[in-house]
Amino acid sequence: MRLKVEFTTEPFELDGFPEHAKTARRVVDEAGLSVDVGPFGTSAEGTAEQTLAAIDRLVRETLAHGATRISLQVSVVGEDGEPIADREGAG
């Protein structure tokens, strides 16, 4: 099974890249996940085992580095990277 996690950490800082955001990026990179950084959040994809382990580290370490809120969404994805629930006829 493959999983995709989409996440943001807060508080946002317009003047720089906060330590908790740097920590989140480091965690998913070190987990070996495929990472996509967007303007409103970051997504990372990998096997269920590596993604779940990265989520645990991400939550613990970003809180330790100043995050006051972490928003996560986890989706099961096919080999093509598309969420299973978004496929026609999937429920």
Side-chain angles (χ1 to χ4, degrees), residues 32-74:
L33 302 177
S34 172
V35 179
D36 182 28
V37 178
F40 301 108
T42 301
S43 64
E45 181 183 323
T47 66
E49 184 176 317
Q50 73 185 142
T51 304
L52 293 171
I55 290 168
D56 180 63
R57 267 190 73 200
L58 184 143
V59 170
R60 293 173 189 276
E61 293 186 25
T62 56
L63 288 171
H65 286 94
T68 57
R69 178 182 296 201
I70 304 160
S71 300
L72 295 167
Q73 177 173 305
V74 180

